[in-house]
Amino acid sequence: MGRRWVVDVDLEKFFDRVNHDVLMGRLAKRIADPRMLRLIRHYLEAGVLADGVVIERHEGTPQGGPLSPLLANVLLDDVDQELERRGHAFVRYADDCNVYVRSRRAAERVMELLKQLYAALRLRINTTKSAVALAWHRKFLGYCLRKTRSGDVQRAVAPEALARLKDEIRARTRRSGGRSITQVIAALADYLRGWKGYFRHAQQRSSLKTIDAWLRHRLRAIHLKQWRSGRAVLRALRALGVPEERARRVARSGAGGWRAAGGILHLALPIAYFRKLGLPELAA
């Protein structure tokens, strides 16, 4: 039996609650230079400016600071080593950790172990965000696992991440922006390339092809919006090589932009047209 169960752990306000003394103790085992240790201590204790007032900090690391992820790894290294010593399969990024085991009972034991290990570091598990569950019922850094009809397990983009992607596309392709189609695509391109790069390990080409098609449909609707009048639509479709009668039919149509963007516009504005304008394809 495979490792179907996951111990999904999130630490409560981790970067705000890192204990400075515990962290410095871990660092002292790795760094011999006392000047470096003093510098890191000053970095940790630097005050926070809020509404013009400096607030002293006695715990936590600066969120967004370049050193904080490294310090998190140093602090949590003892937990990693204990999981490795026990032969567990796990993945951790900063304070998010998933441990994969073969049964629910084993998962519950690991959860209790992690509570003890984190407590020794003066950290607490966020019980509302952490759980013992079947692996395909949880997500990690925007990814999730899914079972295929054949019983295989694949990496996929979590539904929440797909929903955020579509929300972002909607925001960047509003038809009231007064921008040319080239400008709209330019505003989309970097975001889509970054998203595609991050989720390059996902194994779900079919659903990404659906999103690609939906996006092109939105862009065709923008074209119709920009052509404004029936005469402009007719001229544009003629220029794109659409037969006269079919072009007139679209120009005379009273359908809204979304409905009218289907049909003949798929032929007039094909995938190659958007590729030429630099639109990335998520499924490619």
Side-chain angles (χ1 to χ4, degrees):
M1 185 183 296
R3 300 175 189 266
R4 300 182 303 142
W5 288 86
V6 63
V7 185
D8 184 3
V9 171
D10 177 84
L11 294 178
E12 189 174 279
K13 296 182 179 179
F14 172 70
F15 286 102
D16 292 332
R17 291 184 171 171
V18 169
N19 183 279
H20 291 176
D21 292 334
V22 173
L23 174 57
M24 293 306 301
R26 298 302 188 278
L27 288 169
K29 295 177 180 179
R30 299 166 178 265
I31 301 174
D33 188 344
R35 294 171 300 174
M36 179 63 71
L37 292 172
R38 283 197 299 270
L39 182 61
I40 295 173
R41 171 72 81 166
H42 290 322
Y43 168 80
L44 292 172
E45 294 179 347
V48 178
L49 186 64
D51 298 324
V53 178
V54 176
I55 302 174
E56 293 184 358
R57 177 172 34 218
H58 301 289
E59 63 179 1
T61 65
Q63 286 205 41
L67 194 57
S68 294
L70 174 60
L71 295 177
N73 284 338
V74 171
L75 180 62
L76 297 174
D77 187 56
D78 287 353
V79 179
D80 294 347
Q81 290 193 30
E82 182 61 23
L83 291 174
E84 288 177 353
R85 189 184 71 79
R86 293 170 179 252
H88 289 304
F90 71 97
V91 57
R92 181 180 63 79
Y93 183 83
D95 57 324
D96 293 320
C97 181
N98 278 7
V99 185
Y100 298 92
V101 296
R102 290 183 169 82
S103 69
R104 184 180 187 92
R105 181 174 295 181
E108 290 170 347
R109 287 198 300 268
V110 171
M111 178 65 84
E112 291 304 313
L113 169 67
L114 288 174
K115 288 179 180 178
Q116 295 171 21
L117 294 174
Y118 289 134
L121 300 174
R122 302 190 189 179
L123 298 170
R124 289 200 300 267
I125 289 177
N126 187 329
T127 56
T128 61
K129 293 184 178 180
S130 304
V132 166
L134 289 169
W136 35 88
H137 292 166
R138 305 296 290 181
K139 64 183 190 302
F140 184 74
L141 301 180
Y143 279 88
C144 66
L145 299 175
R146 64 177 185 179
K147 291 179 68 175
T148 66
R149 292 179 180 177
S150 63
D152 294 331
V153 177
Q154 293 182 336
R155 298 179 299 274
V157 182
E160 297 89 342
L162 287 175
R164 286 193 296 271
L165 167 67
K166 296 188 74 172
D167 286 344
E168 187 66 28
I169 289 174
R170 288 188 187 97
R172 292 171 184 251
T173 56
R174 291 193 179 99
R175 280 172 271 167
S176 59
R179 300 166 297 163
S180 70
I181 196 69
T182 303
Q183 291 172 320
V184 172
I185 290 176
L188 268 173
D190 286 344
Y191 172 76
L192 293 177
R193 289 192 194 98
W195 192 95
K196 181 179 178 180
Y198 181 84
F199 287 107
R200 64 188 180 277
H201 300 297
Q203 301 166 284
Q204 57 182 131
R205 191 166 179 270
S206 60
S207 58
L208 294 181
K209 286 181 69 175
T210 299
I211 293 179
D212 281 334
W214 170 76
L215 170 55
R216 288 190 295 268
H217 195 100
R218 290 187 66 85
L219 295 175
R220 293 182 184 107
I222 289 174
H223 260 307
L224 278 176
K225 176 77 172 180
Q226 292 172 343
W227 290 334
R228 297 179 184 277
S229 68
R231 289 183 179 179
V233 172
L234 182 59
R235 287 195 301 270
L237 291 179
R238 283 172 175 166
L240 291 167
V242 175
E244 180 76 17
E245 181 55 34
R246 300 189 74 177
R248 288 184 178 277
R249 195 181 311 151
V250 174
R252 291 194 300 264
S253 172
W258 183 256
R259 287 179 57 199
I264 192 63
L265 280 192
H266 281 260
L267 299 176
L269 302 172
I271 295 176
Y273 169 82
F274 294 106
R275 284 174 180 164
K276 189 174 181 180
L277 291 179
L279 180 69
E281 294 174 61
L282 299 177

